[in-house]
Amino acid sequence: MTAACVRTAVIPAAGLGTRVLPATKAVPKELLTVVDRPAIQWVVEEAVAAGIDEIVIVTSPHKKTIEDHFAQMTDLESVLEEKGESELLARVRQVNELANVRFVSQASPLGLGHAISMAAPLVGDEPFAVLLPDDLFPDEGRTVRRMIDVAESVGESVVSLTEAVGEEITKYGCAGYSMRDGAVVVVDRLVEKPVFERAPSNLRINGRYVLTPDIFDKLACTEPGRGGEIQITDALALQIGDRGLRGLVVDDVGFDTGSRADWLRANVELSLRGTDGSAVAAMLEAALESNGF
Ligand code: G1P
């Protein structure tokens, strides 16, 4: 791989969002607000910060509002312009100017691997990143950039890994490894949501991947796995015996906005880190006190 190779990020956003119902009954989970913008905008901004400017979002037919969010809204822009709301206008325009965002539909929910394979015609024959929008890594693209650097130097796919605590590993893809050099591991086994006693390690896959384009061939011959779905983990396992697979172990676990508690944590922590940080801290202190904590 050469330095300019990873130009595209695929964001699979076709899932049902059952973990946060009823909030996601009519609103796609990717559009749930985190501080001041939808979760998926944080993820697009992360990809852009990592140096990626082509975004492919995999949606489902009932999630057209995700497309609306990234489209130009001329009526809204005219109203803001007339009212002299220049700051708001700039923020609205910034959303559709972030990157070249394209959409592809996954008609049936056949799994994460299947969703990623839908992006093949738009990605072409080059390495690409995958960012799962449930997982927020508001780190200015550092994790994805580091993964791209590893992928470029070894010419293999790279998965982002974090040490799981206790039985947490059973909820994630798990990576066993044969060698570790600093933060980089040579992955020799992958299991999607293993039984605790049989997990090959405590390293869980986070929702960030850099994939070589042969993954599309692997996905095409991946049988339905866990939950009867085509799993990206199983397609990556096929790469191990072929060209190899690396993992980058990161300390940052990000935020899982598909979990109610972590969505709330994302809002609190990212508000504290933002320009309103002191006001939010004061508000939290007052709220704790008035509720007897
Ligand atoms: C997916 C992947 C899993 C990974 C997880 C990260 O699972 O299949 O390997 O660990 O994302 O968030 P899901 O959360 O879609 O069940």
Side-chain angles (χ1 to χ4, degrees):
M1 283 192 221
T2 61
C5 261
V6 177
R7 296 185 302 149
T8 307
V10 173
I11 303 181
L16 287 174
T18 45
R19 285 193 295 162
V20 273
L21 279 168
T24 50
K25 196 169 162 228
V27 179
K29 65 175 171 175
E30 296 80 8
L31 291 184
L32 292 182
T33 308
V34 176
V35 186
D36 61 354
R37 67 202 87 164
I40 196 164
Q41 188 180 329
W42 286 93
V43 177
V44 171
E45 287 173 354
E46 177 194 338
V48 170
I52 290 168
D53 50 21
E54 293 285 335
I55 308 288
V56 177
I57 299 180
V58 185
T59 54
S60 67
H62 62 279
K63 285 184 158 184
K64 287 278 181 225
T65 42
I66 298 183
E67 291 185 40
D68 294 343
H69 182 71
F70 291 99
Q72 192 180 6
M73 297 252 166
T74 41
D75 291 356
L76 175 62
E77 289 185 17
S78 307
V79 171
L80 293 174
E81 210 155 11
E82 276 162 30
K83 290 187 168 184
E85 296 275 13
S86 51
E87 201 187 313
L88 269 182
L89 180 63
R91 293 181 67 195
V92 164
R93 282 197 175 135
Q94 187 236 346
V95 180
N96 39 287
E97 288 166 0
L98 271 173
N100 183 27
V101 183
R102 291 175 293 164
F103 295 87
V104 61
S105 182
Q106 184 193 25
S108 321
L110 300 178
L112 177 58
H114 180 259
I116 293 169
S117 71
M118 295 291 99
L122 298 188
V123 171
D125 189 25
E126 55 183 46
F128 62 102
V130 173
L131 284 74
L132 305 190
D134 273 5
D135 297 318
L136 295 195
F137 286 89
D139 65 353
E140 259 125 60
R142 270 190 299 276
T143 300
V144 173
R145 193 64 246 166
R146 285 176 71 201
M147 295 172 71
I148 292 173
D149 289 345
V150 175
E152 284 172 354
S153 71
V154 296
E156 296 172 15
S157 293
V158 177
V159 291
S160 161
L161 302 169
T162 299
E163 288 180 14
V165 180
E167 301 209 3
E168 197 180 60
I169 195 75
T170 60
K171 296 191 208 139
Y172 295 87
C174 173
Y177 58 96
S178 56
M179 234 177 65
R180 181 166 179 165
D181 180 9
V184 179
V185 297
V186 175
V187 177
D188 68 354
R189 225 185 127 201
L190 280 182
V191 187
E192 179 65 11
K193 305 194 175 79
V195 173
F196 182 60
E197 292 72 21
R198 278 192 251 135
S201 82
N202 67 342
L203 293 180
R204 63 174 231 208
I205 303 176
N206 298 316
R208 298 292 178 269
Y209 308 78
V210 174
L211 304 175
T212 52
D214 55 301
I215 195 72
F216 292 125
D217 295 335
K218 303 292 184 226
L219 281 166
C221 57
T222 298
E223 297 292 328
R226 174 111 196 169
E229 298 186 339
I230 312 267
Q231 299 287 352
I232 186 64
T233 308
D234 296 339
L236 283 164
L238 296 177
Q239 283 193 324
I240 294 173
D242 197 342
R243 65 191 302 154
L245 176 71
R246 304 286 162 128
L248 179 75
V249 184
V250 297
D251 296 331
D252 186 1
V253 290
F255 303 99
D256 174 9
T257 56
S259 121
R260 264 175 296 179
D262 228 30
W263 170 80
L264 190 58
R265 189 172 69 87
N267 276 283
V268 171
E269 285 203 20
L270 293 174
S271 297
L272 288 169
R273 288 181 211 170
T275 44
D276 301 330
S278 316
V280 175
M283 184 201 75
L284 286 172
E285 271 173 38
L288 286 170
E289 203 180 321
S290 65
N291 286 284
F293 287 94

